[in-house]
Every structure is written in structure tokens, then in C-alpha cells.
Amino acid sequence: MSTPDPREDLGRLAALHSLRQSGGYKGTTLVLSLLVLTIVIGMAVLVAVRGDDDDTSAPPQVTATDTPTSGTPQTPVTRLPDDAFGVPTTDTRGRRVETPTNPLGQVLPQTTDPSDTDEPEAVLPPPEGLMWQRVYGATIPFSTSDGPTAISTDGVPTGFAHTPQGAALAAWQIGQRATWAPDDQNIALLDRAAVVSEAARPEADTLRTNGAQVYAGNPELPAQMRDVPVAVRITTYSKDFAHVEFAQPLNRDDGFTAISVGVDMVWRDSQWKWVVPEPGNDPSRLLISTTGDGWTPW
């Protein structure tokens, strides 16, 4: 195999540094280290390739037939409109990704009742009717069994099942939206779909006030950042807490095949919420394999 030219890598890193200085993406290590498809994880992929408001009332909910400007509360539908999706695409590994006509994503009819449990299976099977959709340029999961059942007009998904699968779906949905969505939606997610401790407040405040947005079409960002995760697992689960890990593929020749990022979720106010990590908490690590040890492809 050919050895990567370090000058090319330095050029990429310099371009990303210039992008950060010009406000082209959210400058925080919080989302970037917590979520696989964030800029810090993108930087990790690059290095890996190298080889070494006062109104607190809840807004209306967008369901399968709503548009983002709908102002009337809705309930989940039992069928999808004929024009719910456009032409599908794939990620860099050939996984199918649907293109919803609603830019916030298309919720799916819930046709299977999820089963609540304190003892999840050793390997976390995917939810029923799992569909990956392209939202803000990222890949975001929806299901017909574990939600979400609605999306607010400011981009907050709700209705995830009180199950391990529901926790995993919520973790990826909230994290990806907080990373890629416009800043007003980012603020709404942090206010209503996250839990922020006093120690983590500076990180959350940075996200709320950054005033920049990650643009999915930015050519400086590695394409793998928008891939479907190669594997998922839950290492801890109870009725009020879940630790979810996602693995994203790497292109390297030293034996490491993926990078894993862990996300803590808590069940509060009858929904799964993302626990904003405290400064210095970097749960990412390199993986040699995502076979066994609780990992399963979704």
C-alpha cells in the first residue's frame, strides 16, 4: 500500500483550521468529540487516515404529513403521503439513505408496539422498520416501532420508545441534529432534549451562542462523517439511563477499522434526553473490530 503524503494531510488540517477561524462550523469540542459525525470525529478520521427565548411552552409537532411551517398540533399518522420521499441515495459504503421531502425528516407510522425492558439483549437488534434518512446532509434513523413519532417545527424529535432501541435512536437523532442543524434548531435541542449539569454548562452555552452552522456540503469535511454507523451497542441500560456507543468506519492500514463514540442518555419528562458531557470527557476510541462484544450492524 502507498504511504499517505504527510504534506497532503497538513494541507487538509490547515484548511480545516482556516474554516474554524472563519466561523464555518461550530467551534466546540463537546459535540465534536461526543458524536461520531462531528468535526472532532472528522478530524480524528483525517488523522486516522494519515495512519498515526423566554417562552418555554412546547411548540407544535410535525408529523408525517406536516411541513416545517405547520402551526397546528398533530397526532401520528397511519400512512405516509405519496410524495414523502424523493430519489434515494447511498453513503460511501453503499448503504441506502432515503431523501425526505420534509427537510426536518419524515416520521414513520408506528406499526409495532415496542417492549419496555430493564434487561436488553446482549446484542441490540435494530428496531422494526428502520430507515436512514438524509437530514441536513447527515444520516438520521427513523423506525416504525421505536420512534420518533413527531418533530417540532424547530427541529426537536420526540416520541422515542422507552426501550434500548428508543434510546439509541434518540441518541443519534439528537446528536446529529445538534451538530448539523441551523443554530436556532440547535438551541431548541439543547433546551428541550438535553440535560446540562453545572459543570457542562459552559460547553452548552458555547453551543447555544456560537452563531455558526456545520454545512453538510462543505468539501473540507470527510465524506465518512455522513455515513450510516457501521455498528451500535448499549453497554448499560435501565429504565432511567442508557449508555449507547456508535462505531464509524475508518480507512487505515494499521488494523484499526472504526472509531467508537459513547453517548449517555437519561429518561426524563417521559422522553430520552442527551446528557451533555462535562469538559474533558472524550469517550471516543479506536476499534480493531466491531464483530462480537455486543456490537451489531443497524
Side-chain angles (χ1 to χ4, degrees), residues 144-169:
T144 60
S145 60
D146 294 80
T149 60
I151 305 169
S152 68
T153 53
D154 54 359
V156 180
T158 55
F160 295 101
H162 196 185
T163 63
Q165 287 84 354
L169 288 165

Side-chain angles (χ1 to χ4, degrees), residues 10-32:
L10 288 174
R12 294 190 191 98
L13 294 175
L16 281 175
H17 178 73
S18 176
L19 179 64
R20 164 175 272 177
Q21 295 300 100
S22 63
Y25 65 91
K26 292 183 172 68
T28 174
T29 59
L30 165 61
V31 173
L32 307 183

Side-chain angles (χ1 to χ4, degrees), residues 230 248-252 254-259 287-290:
V230 69
Q248 202 68 9
L250 294 175
N251 295 324
R252 345 180 4 141
D254 61 356
F256 291 105
T257 63
I259 185 169
L287 301 172
I288 294 177
S289 173
T290 54

Side-chain angles (χ1 to χ4, degrees), residues 1-69:
M1 294 184 180
S2 62
T3 301
D5 187 342
R7 292 172 297 179
E8 295 179 357
D9 295 317
L10 288 174
R12 294 190 191 98
L13 294 175
L16 281 175
H17 178 73
S18 176
L19 179 64
R20 164 175 272 177
Q21 295 300 100
S22 63
Y25 65 91
K26 292 183 172 68
T28 174
T29 59
L30 165 61
V31 173
L32 307 183
S33 63
L34 178 66
L35 304 168
V36 178
L37 301 186
T38 58
I39 300 304
V40 158
I41 298 307
M43 293 291 288
V45 171
L46 285 175
V47 173
V49 171
R50 184 171 53 184
D52 210 330
D53 341 322
D54 293 335
D55 184 3
T56 59
S57 61
Q61 301 295 303
V62 177
T63 62
T65 56
D66 286 326
T67 64
T69 57

